[in-house]
Amino acid sequence: MLKQTFLAIAVPMLACCVGYEPLSIDLKHDTAEWQALSRRVCGGGSVTRADAARIGLLLNPDLNRARLSYARSTQAVKYAGLWEDPALSANLERVLREGFFNASIAPSISIPVTGSKRLERRVAEQYREADYWQMRDKERAYLAELDALCNEVLVTHAKLRLVRARLSQAADEKRRVEQLQSLGELPFADLQVVNTRHSDLVKEEQELSNRHLEVHQRLTRMLGLHPAAAAVELAAELPAALPGKVAAPSAETLLNHPALLAENAAVGADELELRLEIRRQFPDISLEPGFTREDKTNRAGIGIGFTLPVWNRNRAAIHAAQADRALAVQKLVSTWRGLLQDAADLAAQQELAYTHCRQEQERIDALSAAEERQEELHRLGESSLPALAEARQEIYTRRLNYLDCLGKLLDIRVKLQSLNPTSFQQ
């Protein structure tokens, strides 16, 4: 009878247990699928900014890792706060002299009268919220970093076109100066200047070519594409005129920043953790009903058990939870102050970057007019080729400097936009 009772209870319980399924990983197959997917999403070999954002949000491994972390927290909430499984013990003994058996069966169940299980579920919900906002903050930071990288790609493209055009001019200037110098119409010093300038331009072109490859490789990695897709170009251009200024977000707006919301949720989780540890210093009640058959006599009874909070009282866990809460609060305050400081710093940097860009534009306008006069004078024979080459080199240098200033400005604008919680909502 005891055996039948035990089997009747144990078999249905075991049937509800989760079974193990082995994981199969085929890296070669995964690589082939990755390469095929990269070719498919890249289309004709070029992507727009919107395409890049869409591809990156889909394939970037860091973002997918954050989503898996949020999914894990979501699953944890489903099963948080469940009561402890009941326990069952059985005993069989033989009385040797009398020759009969005594049997007993004793289930026990813990009743969480302190409310700790309810708090466990609330803690899990807080951690889920923190993971959610961390995921959103990672997406925000990723889109900002991707936008900044796209700007860097465009600036590199513009610089490379500029240096190659100037290098073509310098090669022609070098050839013509060599001819004039061989005829004795120009001093050897002018030839040395032209040769040095040409060599410097060759070096600049090599460095920019390396830079071009490096930014494209970074773009491919950020998008989560196969390395074979590194040749994909960005179908966009730099703004022809200076873009408008980005307003710095107010303190009230920053209160909704996902990084701050994630830290706030973490503080809430640590607060609940502390309350939970305080509850755990008080015992839950354990009920232990029992059935005994002794000497052909059936007996039933019930027992009550609980721990006495005399020495331990969960003090170590309580003090650890208090320390964790203090650290979480400090991190929240630090994040908030950092956001306020970033908004103020970037606003000031934007003003300075605009000033530098306007100054470079004014210089380029003045040098362009001077270069046109030099070109006209050279065609009329009233200006030497070295003087024309010097004018060309000067405006080339200022245009490169303008691209540096523009790239800095665009980078600051992206950072300011990323501080606004509504700018990167998906």
Side-chain angles (χ1 to χ4, degrees), residues 9-82:
I9 297 174
V11 171
M13 290 182 178
L14 293 175
C16 295
C17 294
V18 177
Y20 168 74
E21 295 182 4
L23 181 63
S24 177
I25 301 176
D26 187 347
L27 294 180
K28 291 184 178 179
H29 179 69
D30 175 78
T31 301
E33 286 189 340
W34 182 27
Q35 191 168 5
L37 178 61
S38 299
R39 285 196 300 265
R40 187 163 62 251
V41 298
C42 289
S46 63
V47 294
T48 64
R49 284 180 180 263
D51 291 336
R54 175 179 55 81
I55 294 170
L57 288 174
L58 176 66
L59 298 181
N60 183 266
D62 292 334
L63 295 183
N64 286 324
R65 192 177 300 113
R67 294 179 185 122
L68 288 175
S69 179
Y70 173 61
R72 180 183 60 183
S73 300
T74 303
Q75 285 294 109
V77 171
K78 291 183 180 180
Y79 306 107
L82 296 178

Side-chain angles (χ1 to χ4, degrees), residues 144-176:
E145 186 179 356
L146 178 62
D147 203 18
L149 181 57
C150 288
N151 289 332
E152 188 175 353
V153 170
L154 295 179
V155 169
T156 304
H157 284 175
K159 283 185 173 182
L160 197 56
R161 288 194 296 268
L162 187 62
V163 72
R164 285 174 176 171
R166 178 67 190 114
L167 184 59
S168 177
Q169 276 186 338
D172 180 65
E173 292 165 1
K174 180 174 178 293
R175 178 184 56 80
R176 292 168 60 191

Side-chain angles (χ1 to χ4, degrees), residues 100-104 290-300:
F100 60 83
F101 291 90
N102 294 330
S104 65
F291 172 80
T292 304
R293 181 174 177 80
E294 182 177 352
D295 194 15
K296 300 182 180 181
T297 302
N298 296 331
R299 299 176 183 177

Side-chain angles (χ1 to χ4, degrees), residues 98-169:
E98 284 77 8
F100 60 83
F101 291 90
N102 294 330
S104 65
I105 182 169
S108 65
I109 183 171
S110 178
I111 301 177
V113 294
T114 61
S116 60
K117 298 302 178 183
R118 184 172 61 254
L119 275 176
E120 285 179 4
R121 182 172 182 84
R122 291 179 60 189
V123 167
E125 289 172 348
Q126 281 294 118
Y127 281 125
R128 177 181 63 180
E129 182 179 355
D131 282 345
Y132 170 76
W133 288 115
Q134 285 177 0
M135 177 186 68
R136 294 303 305 271
D137 186 52
K138 284 184 179 294
E139 291 176 347
R140 175 206 59 82
Y142 171 79
L143 289 174
E145 186 179 356
L146 178 62
D147 203 18
L149 181 57
C150 288
N151 289 332
E152 188 175 353
V153 170
L154 295 179
V155 169
T156 304
H157 284 175
K159 283 185 173 182
L160 197 56
R161 288 194 296 268
L162 187 62
V163 72
R164 285 174 176 171
R166 178 67 190 114
L167 184 59
S168 177
Q169 276 186 338

